[in-house]
Amino acid sequence: MDRITPERIDHVAIDVTDVERAKAFYGGLLQLVEIPRPETFSFPGAWFAVGATSVLHMVSRPPRSLDGTHHFCIWVEDVHGAARTVAAAGYPVDWDTRYKIPGVDRFFTRDPDGNRVELQG
């Protein structure tokens, strides 16, 4: 049997209902850099680089229930500064004090479509 050797997460895909609004959140507020999508992708969406090795895919889909704790996490250089910026833009900042990770501060927010996003540093 072949051995599977994980190297990194290549990308995370999220559903959004308004691509331009989502681009303003991820590209504007969180300052991710938009990158080209393959020309063969005929459906609405956008891709953003997250650091040097990961990619966030946004796919336009109809609204759905976003209850639950599913999320993805972005590591940031200054998590407290990021929290101030997110809060100043009117988005929730929910610090996780229940499940601490030693040496890591982290908070959760929601994008305009309600997708749960964790930021830590």
Side-chain angles (χ1 to χ4, degrees):
M1 181 184 299
D2 290 324
R3 178 179 163 90
I4 297 174
T5 306
E7 295 180 345
R8 64 183 168 92
I9 291 177
D10 182 78
H11 71 272
V12 172
I14 62 168
D15 294 342
V16 301
T17 58
D18 183 325
V19 173
E20 292 307 313
R21 182 179 67 181
K23 286 168 67 170
F25 179 83
Y26 289 99
L29 180 63
L30 298 186
Q31 299 180 13
L32 301 183
V33 176
E34 188 171 2
I35 60 175
R37 293 187 330 148
E39 292 181 13
T40 56
F41 283 36
S42 60
F43 52 89
W47 287 10
F48 286 89
V50 183
T53 61
S54 300
V55 178
L56 172 64
H57 294 185
M58 297 184 320
V59 180
S60 181
R61 301 209 195 277
R64 62 176 169 59
S65 171
L66 293 170
D67 295 335
T69 59
H70 60 280
H71 67 279
F72 66 95
C73 179
I74 299 173
W75 183 274
V76 296
E77 183 178 69
D78 178 4
V79 69
H80 295 280
R84 288 188 296 273
T85 300
V86 168
Y91 293 95
V93 172
D94 180 20
W95 289 98
D96 189 330
T97 57
R98 184 172 168 195
Y99 301 108
K100 287 294 292 174
I101 299 171
V104 175
D105 288 333
R106 60 198 183 119
F107 70 90
F108 291 90
T109 191
R110 297 266 179 185
D111 75 7
D113 280 289
N115 291 299
R116 192 168 185 235
V117 181
E118 180 180 2
L119 285 88
Q120 63 177 227

